[in-house]
Amino acid sequence: MENAGAVNIGQHERVPWLGVAGVVVFVALTGIGVLAGLWKVLVVGWVAFAAMVGGAAIGLRSHERDRRSVRADGLASGAMVTSAAVFLVPQAIGYQPQLGGFGIAAGILAGYAGHTIGHRLTHLDLPLETTTAQLTAHALTAGVVIGTVYTLLPDLGLLLGLGIVSHKAPAGYAAAGRLRGAGLSVGVLALPAAGVGITALLVGLVAPSSTMAVNALVFGFAAGIFLHIAMDFLPECETGGEHASGVAHARLDRLRVHAVASTVVGAGTVALAWLLVA
């Protein structure tokens, strides 16, 4: 990890407690959410938590990282692209086409800006483990969007939320490998794992008011954010590809085939689930 040196021993000892704190807050909010009847938000939040924790557990034990990572990323990106395009974009355009379009553009650009700023932070000598900080910020933001979307349109099915958080497993898988390589505790990933549910439940409890214009912007922005995340997860399999030859080049070609196939399977899974539900 580029900034592993910025983490001192005392910080390493505190890291697991951040994860414990996140889980405690999430569990407490879950009880409140049950009383408030926020069942869909609860399901999405807990699925996101289980997916990231499960992905991290697999990442700790995996020795064949490349092929599994490509497959997981491809499945997640295909599912997210389809979910955002089918469930969020039509809602945004349906409320007010122009405002919905502005929201989509703003979401894509905001996702890109956040990703770029987060990468820049990894070059700074911060007293903070940057992988966890970036994942937590992303999870909290995604939770706000999910909580707002389901509050504004409670009739939305669970398929949208589950498709959107499908990237949590590969994110946990990759993060666990980076943390383990830097000699840091993987237990801290419980914090970003719980982050989606924490902010989604908080937004659901607040129940923000809506208008046609607000709905168009919110659904458009959500679509843009998640489309950016989905595209960011697309497996590229290009590292060193231009200069690879022989066995290395053939291996990259096989990974590219796995990448394309997995994205199609991820998209097809969402489409099939939609057909069964519809």
Side-chain angles (χ1 to χ4, degrees):
M1 181 176 296
E2 296 179 45
N3 198 40
V7 182
N8 55 38
I9 295 177
Q11 191 177 13
H12 179 271
E13 293 174 349
R14 292 197 303 269
V15 161
W17 292 107
L18 293 175
V20 171
V23 174
V24 169
V25 172
F26 187 25
V27 170
L29 285 172
T30 294
I32 300 173
V34 169
L35 296 176
L38 299 174
W39 298 110
K40 290 182 181 178
V41 174
L42 283 167
V43 171
V44 173
W46 277 105
V47 168
F49 179 85
M52 178 164 277
V53 171
I58 295 172
L60 282 176
R61 301 180 179 184
S62 177
H63 300 289
E64 187 189 358
R65 304 196 64 86
D66 289 345
R67 183 174 298 181
R68 290 184 180 178
S69 179
V70 164
R71 288 174 176 171
D73 287 354
L75 287 169
S77 61
M80 287 189 70
V81 166
T82 307
S83 297
V86 172
F87 301 112
L88 292 176
V89 172
Q91 292 291 341
I93 301 302
Y95 283 116
Q96 284 194 15
Q98 285 73 29
L99 288 178
F102 279 119
I104 294 172
I108 292 174
L109 294 177
Y112 171 74
H115 180 87
T116 302
I117 293 171
H119 176 75
R120 291 288 296 174
L121 291 177
T122 64
H123 299 299
L124 302 178
D125 188 20
L126 298 175
L128 180 67
E129 196 280 302
T130 53
T131 296
T132 305
Q134 290 178 18
L135 287 173
T136 302
H138 164 70
L140 295 175
T141 302
V144 169
V145 174
I146 289 173
T148 304
V149 165
Y150 275 101
T151 301
L152 295 179
L153 200 64
D155 292 336
L156 277 175
L158 283 172
L159 190 57
L160 165 66
L162 299 181
I164 284 174
V165 300
S166 61
H167 69 289
K168 288 298 178 181
Y173 179 91
R178 288 196 293 268
L179 290 171
R180 181 179 63 177
L184 301 174
S185 172
V186 179
V188 71
L189 291 179
L191 177 60
V196 171
I198 289 173
T199 49
L201 285 167
L202 287 174
V203 172
L205 292 170
V206 172
S209 58
S210 66
T211 65
M212 293 288 284
V214 169
N215 289 355
L217 289 170
V218 167
F219 278 90
F221 187 80
I225 285 283
F226 292 125
L227 283 171
H228 166 78
I229 295 172
M231 298 302 291
D232 196 44
F233 261 85
L234 280 174
E236 296 181 0
C237 311
E238 297 294 338
T239 305
E242 295 300 324
H243 304 288
S245 60
V247 175
H249 186 82
R251 182 171 177 276
L252 278 175
D253 282 345
R254 287 194 298 272
L255 287 177
R256 292 185 181 105
V257 173
H258 284 290
V260 173
S262 61
T263 56
V264 172
V265 171
T269 299
V270 172
L272 179 60
W274 176 77
L275 287 172
L276 293 175
V277 171

